[in-house]
Amino acid sequence: MAFICTEGVSKVYRTGRVEVHALCGVSLRISQGEYVALMGPSGSGKSTLMHLLGCLDTPTSGHYWLSGNDITTLDDIKLARLRNREIGFVFQNYNLLPRLSAQGNVELPMVYAGVRRSERTRRSSELLSLVGLGDRLSHKPSELSGGEMQRVALARALANRPSLVLADEPTGNLDTRTGQEIMRLFDSLAEQGNTVIVVTHDQDVAAHARRVIRLRDGRIEGIN
């Protein structure tokens, strides 16, 4: 079985009597180590699909397997453990905790995973150096530029050595030059064998991926 496998996945949101069909029977396979972009216009379902692939939500119907685990059979506690162990997230708005330093933000997933303090300190320092922020360990988010905050978010995503890195519009709030620098970091991750999925509407960002999955109206419109 592929590293990521969905079969007939649908997601329906209900508000009173209104039903919104965000995904309609999506089936796809992504191999370990693939670099994939999810593209589509607003309302196409790409963010919903990312949330499902990241185990932040569960499908209304259909099945999703991640690394051999049938996600649709797991309870909330098991899903949380799987997310912490297997998945790293990079969000457009960074989602850094303002009271923590760069190093503290990177250490946070390791705290939840029960990693001892000395190892957290060593690995967070190593990761921040990897993304070019070895001299910003003690800086809080308010003391960092947008590009630097996104680098911290990427370092945090890698803290527990995830098998899957998911990024939602990772360059959306960045200028062109900084966005290109961030994408080079994603290229490096893919070259090292990580599975990387980037949700984007930007053709230049999607061009970094090895495969592009296009969605429209909750369905896969094409794969190239």
Side-chain angles (χ1 to χ4, degrees), residues 5-10 26-27 59 61-65 70-73:
C5 178
T6 71
E7 288 188 358
V9 163
S10 296
V26 171
S27 297
S61 61
H63 285 274
Y64 168 35
W65 289 270
D70 187 348
I71 301 305
T72 51
T73 67

Side-chain angles (χ1 to χ4, degrees), residues 14-149:
R14 294 181 176 86
T15 304
R17 297 182 179 180
V18 178
E19 289 190 349
V20 177
H21 293 260
L23 291 176
C24 307
V26 171
S27 297
L28 61 84
R29 283 165 174 74
I30 298 173
S31 300
Q32 180 81 54
E34 269 203 271
Y35 188 177
V36 175
L38 298 179
M39 294 196 75
S42 178
S44 64
K46 60 184 186 297
S47 291
T48 300
L49 181 57
M50 190 205 77
H51 288 160
L52 294 180
L53 295 180
C55 301
L56 295 170
D57 202 352
T58 54
T60 304
S61 61
H63 285 274
Y64 168 35
W65 289 270
L66 172 64
S67 192
N69 298 283
D70 187 348
I71 301 305
T72 51
T73 67
L74 302 183
D75 60 28
D76 290 343
I77 293 175
K78 290 180 179 177
L79 278 175
R81 289 174 180 165
L82 185 69
R83 281 196 303 270
N84 185 259
R85 185 180 71 248
E86 296 277 359
I87 305 170
F89 296 94
V90 182
F91 297 101
Q92 179 177 355
N93 294 322
Y94 322 127
N95 288 5
L96 302 179
L97 295 185
R99 294 185 179 181
L100 293 181
S101 65
Q103 189 163 25
N105 271 283
V106 175
E107 286 185 10
L108 201 56
M110 293 183 279
V111 173
Y112 295 140
V115 177
R116 67 183 186 274
R117 180 176 295 180
S118 60
E119 174 62 13
R120 296 199 308 262
T121 301
R122 184 199 66 78
R123 180 149 176 78
S124 59
S125 177
E126 178 184 88
L127 286 169
L128 285 167
S129 294
L130 179 69
V131 298
L133 293 177
D135 59 345
R136 296 285 194 273
L137 302 184
S138 62
H139 286 57
K140 292 184 177 179
S142 61
E143 301 170 315
L144 300 172
S145 68
E148 288 171 335
M149 285 192 284

